[in-house]
């Protein structure tokens, strides 16, 4: 925007009554620069959302509700990505209807995504030992509320004679989305530290074996037992060799 707005103002495409972000990347060289910048920004945002999805999926205090909401959030992340790229590819001059379809897909999806992630943070049952910062959480919640108002205000005033009103809502919404994700920096680091500091299943089994003086089980054996437990099936008992009768085979394994 730092490049496209001056170019669009110089070309007369952006003025006091029409300063949409879409207008700044509508024609000329500004359209090419803006489309490239939106694509790069959309992919960077999607990477942040994908990292967030992975961190929540592996969080040691995960809940069923958090897992379900996290999957919905990943779907919304895809919609945000597609909508943002579509805004750059199908500019206003090409088709206002198609352009607005992609724009509102991105705006609505990212607003709902912010709400879902706030609920996920609550469901992870964090406390002060995990670095939980109530002030930042309340700030993100306030930003989400303001972003929701801007999204609704932009949709309600979309056909207003004075297009400066919905344009102001759009710019404010984009600033709040940026601030929301910028406040994730510390939370992502804490989630990563909590995941890395939590022993995995095999680490716990190995430590238990070392403490009891027994050899740790083989990885394949552990995976087989877990699969059998998950599928609620019985682990087959190994049959005795042909050289031993059934009674001898049972006696040979009895202590």
């Amino acid at each position: 925007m730092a490049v496209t707005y001056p170019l669009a103002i110089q070309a007369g495409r952006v003025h006091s009554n029409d300063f949409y972000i879409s207008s700044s990347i509508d024609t000329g060289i500004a359209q090419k620069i803006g489309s490239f910048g939106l694509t790069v920004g959309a992919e960077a945002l999607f990477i942040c959302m994908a990292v967030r999805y992975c961190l929540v999926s592996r969080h040691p205090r995960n809940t069923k509700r958090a897992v379900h909401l996290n999957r919905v959030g990943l779907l919304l992340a895809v919609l945000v990505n597609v909508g943002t790229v579509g805004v750059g590819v199908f500019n206003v001059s090409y088709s206002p209807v198609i352009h607005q379809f992609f724009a509102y897909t991105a705006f609505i999806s990212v607003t709902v995504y912010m709400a879902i992630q706030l609920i996920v943070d609550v469901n992870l049952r964090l406390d002060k030992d995990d670095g939980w910062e109530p002030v930042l959480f309340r700030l993100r919640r306030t930003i989400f509320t303001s972003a929701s108002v801007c999204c609704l205000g932009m949709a309600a005033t979309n056909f207003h004679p004075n297009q400066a009103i919905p344009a102001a809502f759009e710019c404010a919404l984009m600033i709040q989305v940026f601030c929301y994700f910028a406040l994730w920096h510390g939370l992502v680091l804490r989630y990563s530290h909590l995941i890395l500091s939590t022993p995995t299943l095999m680490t716990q089994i190995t430590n238990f074996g070392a403490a009891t003086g027994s050899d740790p089980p083989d990885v394949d054996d552990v995976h087989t037992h877990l699969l059998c437990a998950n599928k609620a099936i019985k682990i087959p008992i190994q049959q005795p060799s042909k050289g031993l009768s059934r009674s001898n085979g049972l006696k040979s394994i009895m202590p």
Side-chain angles (χ1 to χ4, degrees):
M1 289 190 296
V3 177
T4 58
Y5 265 101
L7 293 174
I9 292 173
Q10 186 179 4
R13 181 63 181 85
V14 172
H15 46 82
S16 59
N17 194 41
D18 183 4
F19 50 90
Y20 284 104
I21 298 174
S22 302
S23 300
S24 70
I25 60 171
D26 188 31
T27 58
I29 188 65
Q31 194 272 334
K32 296 177 176 59
I33 296 175
S35 297
F36 177 77
L38 274 178
T39 302
V40 174
E43 301 311 318
L45 183 61
F46 182 76
I47 291 174
C48 293
M49 293 176 170
V51 170
R52 163 81 177 189
Y53 172 81
C54 295
L55 291 177
V56 173
S57 298
R58 298 186 57 190
H59 200 283
R61 296 186 184 180
N62 228 333
T63 62
K64 291 183 178 180
R65 187 181 185 187
V67 171
H68 175 71
L69 290 174
N70 196 35
R71 292 171 180 170
V72 176
L74 183 63
L75 175 61
L76 291 171
V78 174
L79 293 177
V80 172
N81 183 265
V82 172
T84 306
V85 174
V87 166
V89 174
F90 301 99
N91 54 329
V92 178
S93 297
Y94 175 80
S95 174
V97 175
I98 296 177
H99 180 84
Q100 288 200 6
F101 169 77
F102 281 109
Y104 278 102
T105 297
F107 290 144
I108 295 174
S109 298
V110 76
T111 304
V112 177
Y113 179 86
M114 289 191 292
I116 286 178
Q117 297 307 322
L118 288 173
I119 300 174
V120 168
D121 286 337
V122 173
N123 276 263
L124 292 181
R125 303 175 183 176
L126 299 178
D127 51 33
K128 293 182 179 180
D129 294 335
D130 300 325
W132 177 249
E133 297 180 358
V135 175
L136 291 181
F137 175 78
R138 286 195 293 268
L139 183 57
R140 285 194 296 273
R141 186 172 57 189
T142 303
I143 291 174
F144 157 71
T145 303
S146 180
S148 301
V149 172
C150 290
C151 188
L152 293 174
M154 183 176 58
T157 60
N158 188 38
F159 298 102
H160 195 276
N162 185 8
Q163 286 296 295
I165 298 177
F169 278 124
E170 181 193 47
C171 293
L173 175 60
M174 296 306 299
I175 293 173
Q176 288 159 15
V177 169
F178 175 80
C179 293
Y180 182 92
F181 284 96
L183 291 175
W184 261 2
H185 175 69
L187 192 61
V188 168
L189 292 179
R190 291 186 182 91
Y191 279 12
S192 304
H193 175 72
L194 186 61
I195 292 171
L196 294 176
S197 61
T198 302
T200 62
L201 175 63
M202 281 306 303
T203 303
Q204 296 177 7
I205 293 175
T206 303
N207 293 339
F208 176 78
T212 57
S214 59
D215 294 331
D218 185 71
V219 176
D220 294 333
D221 294 339
V222 175
H223 288 173
T224 301
H225 283 69
L226 288 176
L227 289 174
C228 291
N230 291 334
K231 295 180 180 179
I233 61 175
K234 296 181 180 180
I235 302 175
I237 301 175
Q238 184 178 1
Q239 297 296 327
S241 60
K242 294 181 180 180
L244 295 175
S245 63
R246 184 175 180 83
S247 59
N248 290 336
L250 292 174
K251 290 180 181 179
S252 62
I253 63 173
M254 292 295 289

